[in-house]
């Protein structure tokens, strides 16, 4: 499962933080343990401590409220410490042993001639990507008289900005589909500028470039479409990447690089 090792590492960091916080709290914890007794509707608290109040423990009065809370917190923190410590040891062991693509590595280590005789238990990432790229689709048609702009990959695009994006992906070996149709419930068919396949999730990631955001009509349509994406469970920063332009703020390679690094590099 792609992405699992990263999740395990994040969980390891979280548990380490919990352990550190809990250990600090226990440094100032009071001695002894809390015993709680209920008689009818009355709750009574007792302090159990070596040499004090043998058996039931030392009765704690209302004025000992702070001590009661600290003893309860201490008991909870000790349980957290044991559980988090046990889970952290498990996470460290699993993280050291586990590789997201270990089945793929196993297959690729086979001799090329042997690979031809084997049907892998799961398709490798490259095989899945090739099958995805080979899928046929019909993009959005161009209107007669529209300016003809072509990317370095040889496909026709609608704007210079889309050419900049397409060329960047092509030069950096990022596989994509241009204007692959997508049905959004409540909106209809849309043609995301670029579609990618996520190695981590196996799902598609969409990139929309909104190029005339200072045009009120265009901006209104763009906002409606973005909202519909999210209503369909495709959220900005997860399954949807956005870039924008106005007449005074144009798309730059720096913009693209930052988006790719932030949203695509960890996914494809």
């Amino acid at each position: 499962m792609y992405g699992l090792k990263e999740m395990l590492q994040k969980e390891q960091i979280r548990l380490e933080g919990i352990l550190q916080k809990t250990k600090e709290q226990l440094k100032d914890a009071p001695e002894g343990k809390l015993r709680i007794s209920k008689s009818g509707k009355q709750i009574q608290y007792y302090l159990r401590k070596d040499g004090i109040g043998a058996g039931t423990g030392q009765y704690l009065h209302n004025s000992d409220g702070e001590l009661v809370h600290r003893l309860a917190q201490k008991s909870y923190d000790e349980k957290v410490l044991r559980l988090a410590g046990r889970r952290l040891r498990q996470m460290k062991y699993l993280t050291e042993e586990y590789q997201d693509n270990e089945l793929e590595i196993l297959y690729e280590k086979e001799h090329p001639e042997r690979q031809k005789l084997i049907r892998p238990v799961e398709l490798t990432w490259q095989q899945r990507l090739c099958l995805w790229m080979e899928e046929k689709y019909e993009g959005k048609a161009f209107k007669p008289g529209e300016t003809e702009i072509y990317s370095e990959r040889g496909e026709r695009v609608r704007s210079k900005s889309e050419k900049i994006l397409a060329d960047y992906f092509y030069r950096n070996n990022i596989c994509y589909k241009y204007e692959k149709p997508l049905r959004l419930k409540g909106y209809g068919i849309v043609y995301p500028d670029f579609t990618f396949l996520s190695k981590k999730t196996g799902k598609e990631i969409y990139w929309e470039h909104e190029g005339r955001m200072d045009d009120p009509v265009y901006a209104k349509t763009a906002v409606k479409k973005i909202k519909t994406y999210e209503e369909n469970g495709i959220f900005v920063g997860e399954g949807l990447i956005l870039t924008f332009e106005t007449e005074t703020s144009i798309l730059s390679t720096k913009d693209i690089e930052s988006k790719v690094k932030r949203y695509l590099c960890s996914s494809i």
Side-chain angles (χ1 to χ4, degrees), residues 37-71:
S37 175
K38 186 174 182 181
S39 178
K41 294 184 179 180
Q42 186 70 27
I43 304 297
Q44 296 176 325
Y45 302 104
Y46 297 86
L47 169 63
R48 279 184 168 176
K49 188 177 177 182
D50 292 342
I52 298 179
T56 60
Q58 176 186 339
Y59 178 73
L60 296 174
H61 301 275
N62 291 337
S63 58
D64 298 314
E66 182 181 350
L67 177 59
V68 169
H69 281 89
R70 292 181 66 198
L71 287 168

Side-chain angles (χ1 to χ4, degrees), residues 39-40 83 110 134 152 154 160 180 183 207 268:
S39 178
L83 177 59
E110 297 285 354
E134 289 170 0
E152 291 181 10
K160 292 180 180 179
K180 178 178 182 286
R183 180 178 293 278
W207 187 309
I268 63 175

